[in-house]
Amino acid sequence: MYIVKRILTMLLTLWVIITLTFVIMKFIPGDPFASDADVLPEEVLQNIRAKYNLDKPLPVQYALYLKNLAMLDLGPSIKSETRTVNSIIADGLPASATLGIQALTIALIFGLLLGIIAALNHNKPIDFLAMMIAILGISVPSFILAPLLIKYFAVEWRLLPVASWGSFQHSILPSLALAASPMAVIARFMRSSMIDVMNQNYIKTANAKGLSTPRLVIKHGIRNAILPVITFIGPLAVALITGTFVIEKIFAIPGLGKYFVDSIFNRDYPVILGTTIFFSTILVVILFLIDISYRLIDPRIKLTSGGK
């Protein structure tokens, strides 16, 4: 029952996002064909607008869009006449997903390790060093870190290629630049949560009974401390997997970010709507999977129609 309710909530959320995006986009001043008004006759512009249903009343446009969307058809691109929104997303997703998954993996592995090490060495030099690294990761934006990585690793030391895409080596620097900030945030989350868990009475009792430190940390400490971190991972995973626009621009990565930014400047309504719907769908699905994962990590958590 809980899963059915969550699926219905997901569908309702997506419908609200689609409706709001559609209405807001239509009321933004401007026209995707404004730049062509000086070179094309008015009759031609009217025919073009009719082709994309822009000459119809707003409710009719909305109904037609929902009808096509129900068939998983996001429509044609206005500015790229030979391409559809589906094909644009299919072209840009592999690069963005590869970059995002690698960055998420780096952020999770090193962020969790850094947080655990800092918590187990609370108020010791290792703790201060780990938190100093975390503060630097949060303080230095990715658009500043990325040029620094390019300068040293690609230009001066010539260890890695840059400004291209096609091999694993091309993805290392942008993944590092993208992972630095979330890694630092995960480390701070994990440290705070781990310190709180390790000070609980049941941890002290288990320690007094002679439970080995590795087993105590892994079975009781990490398992309970990681739950708050998982809540943060949902939106973070979506942001990384769907691509970060600035990083894609700096490293010339042909991802979704390029198409999304270009569509905003060109007033390409179908691409704006399509990418927004795609991003939103990934977000609600990942949040749903995270809710389910709570039960897998901690069997004591019961998922019901009334909550956890």
Side-chain angles (χ1 to χ4, degrees):
M1 184 63 186
Y2 171 79
I3 293 179
V4 174
K5 182 179 179 181
R6 288 287 284 113
I7 291 175
L8 293 176
T9 303
M10 288 165 54
L11 294 175
L12 177 62
T13 302
L14 287 175
W15 174 75
V16 171
I17 292 172
I18 293 168
T19 303
L20 288 177
T21 306
F22 185 90
V23 172
I24 292 173
M25 188 177 57
K26 294 297 182 180
F27 280 99
I28 293 177
D31 189 307
F33 306 107
S35 60
D36 301 323
D38 297 332
V39 296
L40 294 177
E42 181 61 30
E43 294 79 7
V44 175
L45 290 175
Q46 290 178 0
N47 291 333
I48 294 176
R49 291 189 178 97
K51 176 184 177 181
Y52 296 103
N53 298 319
L54 297 178
D55 61 331
K56 294 180 173 59
L58 191 60
V60 176
Q61 294 183 42
Y62 178 67
L64 290 173
Y65 188 81
L66 289 182
K67 177 184 176 182
N68 293 331
L69 186 60
M71 297 183 288
L72 302 180
D73 181 9
L74 297 174
S77 169
I78 292 178
K79 290 300 182 179
S80 302
E81 297 181 0
T82 59
R83 307 189 65 189
T84 64
V85 179
N86 294 59
S87 67
I88 290 175
I89 292 177
D91 288 345
L93 179 61
S96 292
T98 299
L99 176 61
I101 291 173
Q102 288 183 189
L104 181 61
T105 303
I106 294 171
L108 280 175
I109 292 175
F110 291 99
L112 291 175
L113 284 176
L114 205 62
I116 293 170
I117 292 172
L120 296 179
N121 296 275
H122 186 43
N123 287 335
K124 295 180 180 179
I126 296 179
D127 181 20
F128 295 125
L129 177 62
M131 286 303 97
M132 185 180 300
I133 295 174
I135 291 172
L136 285 174
I138 296 173
S139 304
V140 180
S142 59
F143 59 84
I144 292 179
L145 180 60
L148 291 175
L149 293 176
I150 293 173
K151 173 179 172 59
Y152 291 104
F153 285 92
V155 177
E156 294 194 5
W157 300 337
R158 299 184 180 276
L159 296 176
L160 294 167
V162 71
S164 184
W165 188 257
S167 67
F168 173 71
Q169 286 76 14
H170 289 98
S171 66
I172 294 176
L173 290 183
S175 296
L176 291 174
L178 195 56
S181 181
M183 180 191 71
V185 175
I186 290 174
R188 291 177 64 85
F189 263 84
M190 191 63 187
R191 174 183 178 272
S192 299
S193 182
M194 192 75 176
I195 290 174
D196 181 63
V197 168
M198 295 304 290
N199 286 324
Q200 296 296 318
N201 290 331
Y202 68 89
I203 295 290
K204 296 178 180 178
T205 302
N207 189 32
K209 290 181 177 180
L211 192 68
S212 64
T213 301
R215 188 178 178 186
L216 180 68
V217 171
I218 295 173
K219 185 176 180 180
H220 298 288
I222 296 176
R223 191 170 187 176
N224 291 288
I226 203 172
L227 288 174
V229 179
I230 290 177
T231 304
F232 167 75
I233 290 174
L236 171 65
V238 177
L240 293 179
I241 292 175
T242 54
T244 297
F245 306 155
V246 175
I247 294 297
E248 290 185 4
K249 189 72 174 178
I250 292 174
F251 288 93
I253 298 174
L256 286 174
K258 174 182 180 300
Y259 295 111
F260 185 70
V261 172
D262 290 345
S263 68
I264 294 175
F265 282 109
N266 295 328
R267 301 296 175 92
D268 197 338
Y269 298 148
V271 177
I272 297 174
L273 261 174
T275 49
T276 301
I277 293 170
F278 181 74
F279 292 160
S280 302
T281 302
I282 294 179
L283 175 60
V284 297
V285 169
I286 289 181
L287 292 179
F288 170 72
L289 294 177
I290 285 176
D291 282 349
I292 301 301
S293 70
Y294 286 135
R295 180 70 175 85
L296 299 176
I297 294 174
D298 191 344
R300 295 173 300 174
I301 297 177
K302 303 294 183 182
L303 301 179
T304 66
S305 59
K308 293 195 291 290

